[in-house]
Amino acid sequence: MLRARLAAKKCSKAASSVPMSRFDDAPVNYEGLAKNIDIVKGRLNRPLTLSEKVVYGHLDNAAEADIRRGESYLNLRPDRVAMQDATAQMAMLQFISSGMPRVAVPSTIHADHLIAAENGSVADLKVANTLNREVYDFLGSAGKKYGVGFWEAGSGIIHQIVLENYAFPGVMLIGTDSHTPNGGGLGGCCVGVGGADAVDVMAGIPWELKCPKVIGVELTGKLSGWTSPKDVILKVADILTVKGGTGAIVEYFGPGVESMSCTGMATICNMGAEIGATTSMFPYNHRMRKYLDSTGRSAIGDLADANQGLLSADAGAEYDQHIHINLDELRPGINGPFTPDLYHLASEVGNTARKNDWPVEVKYGLIGSCTNSSYEDMGRAASLAKQIADRGMTCKAGFSISPGSEQVRATIERDGYTEIFEKVGGVVMSNSCGPCIGQWNRKDTEKGEKNSIVTSFNRNFTGRNDSNPMTHGFVASPELATVYAITGTLDFDPEVDELTAPDGSKFKLETPYGDELPGKGWEAGKNYYTHPPAEGAGEVIVDENSQRLQLLAPFNAWDGKNLENAQVLIKVKGKCTTDHISAAGPWLKFRGHLDNISNNFLITGLNSENEEMNNVCNWTTGERGGVPDIARQYKAAGVPWVVVGDDNYGEGSSREHAALEPRHLGGRAIIVKSFARIHETNLKKQGMLPLTFADPADYDKIRPDDKITLTGITELAPFSQVTCTATHADGSSDSFPLNHTFNDLQINWFKNGSALNYMKSKM
């Protein structure tokens, strides 16, 4: 372990009557945080990191909690819940089936995922409100009945709305989206979870989290020139890879933090999801105070100032891993294609693309998304666009802009940024996720056409943005994405290369600049928020014939037996993200209908048998078909099945559909080399068996046509092993051990058929 080189001021324990947001009565509870921290410090007798203070400060029982980083499980009491519309459907359907009359903590729903980008903000929002009316009405009525605030379509992206209104230093917030850690830019412990976890918290049940390890990232030097906060997380992804943060909170500290805006810190925390981190956090500082003041929360700022000792690490606090980045030496980076941890210097990516036969021509530059859609981001991008607009030039590639919120959209329009973008050929899309999550009705290329795009987004998995597996997606800062839209090529280094103006003169782009916060204050724009009534009102109606919404039936409880002669549905080869397991894009419209959404189960997973997608064999009949089709055939015939997978299975999104679908289709176990954190938890919540090879080399012992028997399930206990026997078609077999991470509570979820079943059994 290595020690942090920073000190914390003495904690203040003043009680608070300051509400957590302008919409809530619940107060900021630094007094409770301080009380728990004192108890834990007395027990552990050591300095605490910032993330430990906030996590342990929210313990349900600080005096008796088993606190061992990376080993024990913690029962926590988060302050609030936030849900985006694609995952909120299933979360609210589960909450309804729980029988609870009203949510126990402040909660919100944000309509941001179901709006497709095509023709610009006004037109796209109109189409979305028509196509998704049934879903929006369901979410709005569920909010009114159960006490959940509803941010309607057009309000903005969940994480920007949370930053503007709900995040604050020391808050613990869980959200049904993997990029919930965005709130760490304002000093919060904000964690992405599946809908079943959200249901627990909304029902007033302690939320369970494996006690995180802590990775310390020390920042020295100062950001300047073309280097931006995005470059910090691109480099961290290079160092840690897509699974290096699994089971850990990444905590930033050091003098370099002071050179970043609050929204810049949020960018870093947001994309921390791509390294598998539980969340990421920054210590409270004057940049956060400026943001709180700007967004009308000076009272929280005053309280945070008085409690700074709670909101930064203790001197001598120890980290499980230490990373140092000198911002003076950091250069602009660009990561991709097909994975967010493949790092290149922007000055070298053109040559690297040629060597790897990646398209050097850039077809599209896209800025915005929850990662980079702040006022400052838009300002820095506009400062570059203005330089070519003033010379009568336009972008050589397509250029798309997605503001993070209605407040950002209205303010950049007032301040002239929108006009600049449009002058150079940019199209301002709706305040929503859009192309970042595959909601992009792209017209400039055909599916299967090899091409490159550069975005300021967070993910670039195969087919992620436009459903085209031949689109080479690169992620970079909004400044660089704008440059590549301007030039239309990866082979351009803005720090040294020149452009040619229409009059033939040569010029270099000046260093991008953008105001941290709007000098004239925020323009509110249209109000899209509906606060729930004090008492539940109305009814939530789901049409039994709906193709978009479906009430949930409980899963069957475990039959009390070991698993015998299960078929291998598919042995997946290579990277398998939640996008592979449950694709987004056009499938988003079925996120509230479990049976329909299950038709996308693993349709883009690579079958090791034939290295094809969505082509597997029903080994009981010899018939071939798509993965969900064969799964349904096995289920109808009473044949249990398992999936076999590779490393970091389920990385990416928090979508619990990737766990609900195999359960719904008759799956019993997922056997892999390793899991991503959220997906493993989601599988447990739905009564599945997530198992890992004790020896990863045993992956090679399983053949696609094997029958799998799992023994030791009847004796399932913490730290026990399950024995897997793979019987081959020739009659031979291999047996080997499998590991699991179930604790006693989670074993009860499994035995009862799901966490929701277990919760209902205790009501």
Side-chain angles (χ1 to χ4, degrees):
M1 290 186 175
L2 293 146
R3 295 181 183 275
R5 292 194 287 274
L6 43 82
K9 297 179 182 178
K10 185 178 179 181
C11 297
S12 166
K13 301 179 183 178
S16 162
S17 59
V18 176
M20 288 193 292
S21 81
R22 60 193 172 97
F23 306 109
D24 301 313
D25 295 327
V28 175
N29 187 17
Y30 287 146
E31 184 179 28
L33 199 68
K35 181 179 179 182
N36 270 4
I37 290 170
D38 284 346
I39 292 171
V40 171
K41 279 189 174 183
R43 293 180 56 203
L44 300 183
N45 194 30
R46 63 171 174 81
L48 300 181
T49 71
L50 163 64
S51 56
E52 287 185 304
K53 288 182 179 181
V54 180
V55 172
Y56 305 160
H58 285 84
L59 282 166
D60 182 50
N61 185 346
E64 298 180 5
D66 181 6
I67 304 172
R68 289 172 291 132
R69 293 201 315 213
E71 297 181 29
S72 63
Y73 284 86
L74 306 177
N75 287 323
L76 303 167
R77 291 285 185 179
D79 298 302
R80 65 179 314 118
V81 174
M83 299 169 280
Q84 44 96 335
D85 52 353
T87 51
Q89 295 171 65
M90 199 59 68
M92 292 308 298
L93 286 166
Q94 289 177 87
F95 186 81
I96 291 169
S97 67
S98 76
M100 295 292 293
R102 191 173 179 86
V103 296
V105 301
S107 304
T108 51
I109 295 170
H110 304 259
D112 62 357
H113 270 56
L114 301 180
I115 307 168
E118 183 174 7
N119 297 310
S121 177
V122 175
D124 293 345
L125 189 58
K126 182 178 180 181
V127 170
N129 274 313
T130 300
L131 289 179
N132 303 313
R133 179 46 46 201
E134 177 185 11
V135 172
Y136 293 154
D137 287 347
F138 163 72
L139 294 174
S141 62
K144 289 179 181 177
K145 183 172 179 63
Y146 295 105
V148 181
F150 184 45
W151 291 85
E152 300 171 17
S155 59
I157 305 171
I158 177 173
H159 310 305
Q160 184 65 30
I161 296 294
V162 166
L163 199 70
E164 292 173 356
N165 296 278
Y166 301 117
F168 62 85
V171 71
M172 174 169 278
L173 179 151
I174 67 165
T176 60
D177 188 278
S178 57
H179 295 107
T180 300
N182 192 78
L186 197 46
C189 181
C190 303
V191 183
V193 299
D197 277 348
V199 171
D200 282 353
V201 176
M202 291 191 294
I205 296 172
W207 171 55
E208 185 184 68
L209 177 70
K210 193 167 190 177
C211 188
K213 294 183 178 181
V214 188
I215 298 173
V217 180
E218 182 180 8
L219 302 178
T220 58
K222 184 179 181 181
L223 287 177
S224 61
W226 283 88
T227 310
S228 75
K230 187 65 163 282
D231 296 304
V232 175
I233 186 58
L234 295 177
K235 187 60 183 175
V236 171
D238 173 46
I239 295 168
L240 289 175
T241 77
V242 291
K243 63 176 184 176
T246 303
I249 293 178
V250 179
E251 188 174 313
Y252 294 85
F253 65 95
V257 170
E258 301 303 316
S259 68
M260 299 179 198
S261 66
C262 174
T263 53
M265 291 185 274
T267 290
I268 293 169
C269 294
N270 179 294
M271 195 173 163
E274 308 323 315
I275 58 173
T278 300
T279 192
S280 301
M281 295 181 68
F282 278 83
Y284 177 66
N285 67 5
H286 72 285
R287 309 299 281 267
M288 296 182 191
R289 175 64 202 242
K290 285 177 65 176
Y291 189 80
L292 288 169
D293 289 343
S294 173
T295 52
R297 294 176 287 170
S298 294
I300 293 179
D302 291 342
L303 204 59
D305 286 345
N307 286 274
Q308 289 191 46
L310 303 176
L311 307 174
S312 57
D314 291 328
E318 295 182 337
Y319 296 108
D320 297 285
Q321 183 177 350
H322 179 272
I323 295 168
H324 172 244
I325 295 176
N326 185 341
L327 301 181
D328 290 334
E329 299 173 357
L330 189 66
R331 308 310 311 150
I334 176 171
N335 287 20
F338 305 125
T339 185
D341 59 352
L342 184 57
Y343 179 81
H344 320 279
L345 291 174
S347 59
E348 300 174 358
V349 70
N351 286 332
T352 303
R354 271 189 292 272
K355 290 177 183 176
N356 288 282
D357 194 29
W358 303 333
V360 177
E361 179 188 5
V362 174
K363 289 283 191 179
Y364 242 98
L366 302 99
I367 66 172
S369 87
C370 62
T371 317
N372 277 114
S373 57
S374 68
Y375 181 81
E376 181 182 32
D377 289 328
M378 295 293 152
R380 285 174 66 88
S383 75
L384 297 171
K386 187 176 187 302
Q387 294 176 53
I388 70 163
D390 289 347
R391 291 173 169 87
M393 301 166 65
T394 58
C395 293
K396 292 184 178 179
F399 187 32
S400 170
I401 303 95
S402 299
S405 69
E406 171 64 3
Q407 180 171 270
V408 169
R409 183 211 62 78
T411 306
I412 67 170
E413 182 175 294
R414 180 200 67 194
D415 292 348
Y417 297 170
T418 300
E419 182 181 0
I420 293 169
F421 291 141
E422 292 174 344
K423 278 185 177 179
V424 299
V427 178
V428 178
M429 299 298 182
S430 63
N431 315 319
S432 64
C433 303
C436 182
I437 59 163
Q439 285 282 51
W440 183 17
N441 292 333
R442 191 177 178 189
K443 306 295 185 183
D444 66 300
T445 57
E446 297 294 329
K447 191 169 184 178
E449 182 180 341
K450 195 173 179 180
N451 74 102
S452 288
I453 64 174
V454 181
T455 78
S456 70
F457 305 161
N458 39 47
R459 283 195 185 126
N460 56 350
F461 302 143
T462 302
R464 165 80 179 184
N465 302 122
D466 60 1
S467 300
N468 180 2
M470 296 307 293
T471 293
H472 292 55
F474 295 84
V475 292
S477 67
E479 300 92 305
L480 280 187
T482 302
V483 167
Y484 293 126
I486 290 169
T487 63
T489 178
L490 290 173
D491 198 14
F492 186 87
D493 179 359
E495 293 189 293
V496 299
D497 292 335
E498 294 181 324
L499 295 170
T500 303
D503 63 5
S505 62
K506 302 284 187 179
F507 70 99
K508 282 178 63 177
L509 289 168
E510 296 176 7
T511 302
Y513 172 80
D515 288 329
E516 180 177 348
L517 295 163
K520 300 177 184 177
W522 293 101
E523 188 74 23
K526 181 178 177 181
N527 177 34
Y528 288 97
Y529 177 68
T530 301
H531 196 66
E535 300 287 337
E539 295 297 324
V540 180
I541 301 174
V542 177
D543 186 342
E544 64 180 14
N545 297 314
S546 172
Q547 295 301 301
R548 300 286 302 270
L549 298 164
Q550 180 186 47
L551 293 175
L552 297 174
F555 290 129
N556 292 331
W558 174 52
D559 62 8
K561 302 176 182 177
N562 289 318
L563 181 62
E564 296 183 357
N565 295 319
Q567 289 291 158
V568 175
L569 174 65
I570 181 173
K571 182 181 178 182
V572 180
K573 179 180 178 180
K575 183 185 280 283
C576 190
T577 71
T578 48
D579 279 39
H580 294 87
I581 303 168
S582 178
W587 291 95
L588 283 169
K589 61 179 174 286
F590 297 125
R591 285 282 183 87
H593 196 293
L594 180 54
D595 193 56
N596 283 345
I597 193 70
S598 295
N599 289 324
N600 76 358
F601 179 59
L602 273 172
I603 59 176
T604 58
L606 192 65
N607 184 6
S608 67
E609 176 210 358
N610 51 18
E611 300 210 356
E612 295 181 13
M613 293 186 292
N614 206 30
N615 181 2
V616 297
C617 183
N618 180 331
W619 299 106
T620 64
T621 66
E623 180 182 349
R624 300 198 72 88
V627 178
D629 302 318
I630 300 303
R632 289 183 188 276
Q633 290 176 17
Y634 283 150
K635 181 180 180 181
V639 177
W641 55 262
V642 303
V643 166
V644 178
D646 216 313
D647 232 356
N648 207 29
Y649 185 90
E651 72 171 276
S653 166
S654 69
R655 66 192 69 157
E656 65 182 334
H657 302 78
L660 283 160
E661 291 174 30
R663 184 75 163 98
H664 175 68
L665 293 174
R668 300 288 297 276
I670 310 293
I671 306 169
V672 300
K673 293 180 182 178
S674 65
F675 284 103
R677 174 190 65 87
I678 300 177
H679 186 59
E680 182 181 24
T681 300
N682 286 345
L683 288 167
K684 292 178 182 178
K685 286 276 187 177
Q686 302 307 335
M688 292 289 290
L689 279 171
L691 304 168
T692 56
F693 296 101
D695 180 355
D698 289 337
Y699 167 90
D700 295 322
K701 294 179 180 177
I702 296 182
R703 304 172 190 174
D705 58 349
D706 281 351
K707 290 185 181 295
I708 302 296
T709 293
L710 300 178
T711 54
I713 300 174
T714 52
E715 294 83 35
L716 196 66
F719 310 111
S720 68
Q721 287 187 316
V722 172
T723 299
C724 176
T725 300
T727 302
H728 312 309
D730 61 7
S732 64
S733 64
D734 284 290
S735 293
F736 42 85
L738 303 174
N739 294 330
H740 68 83
T741 61
F742 282 95
N743 61 22
D744 288 323
L745 173 63
Q746 294 166 349
I747 290 170
N748 281 323
W749 299 346
F750 170 71
K751 289 180 176 179
N752 282 266
S754 70
L756 185 59
N757 287 356
Y758 180 66
M759 181 180 78
K760 291 172 71 173
S761 75
K762 297 298 179 182
M763 290 176 61

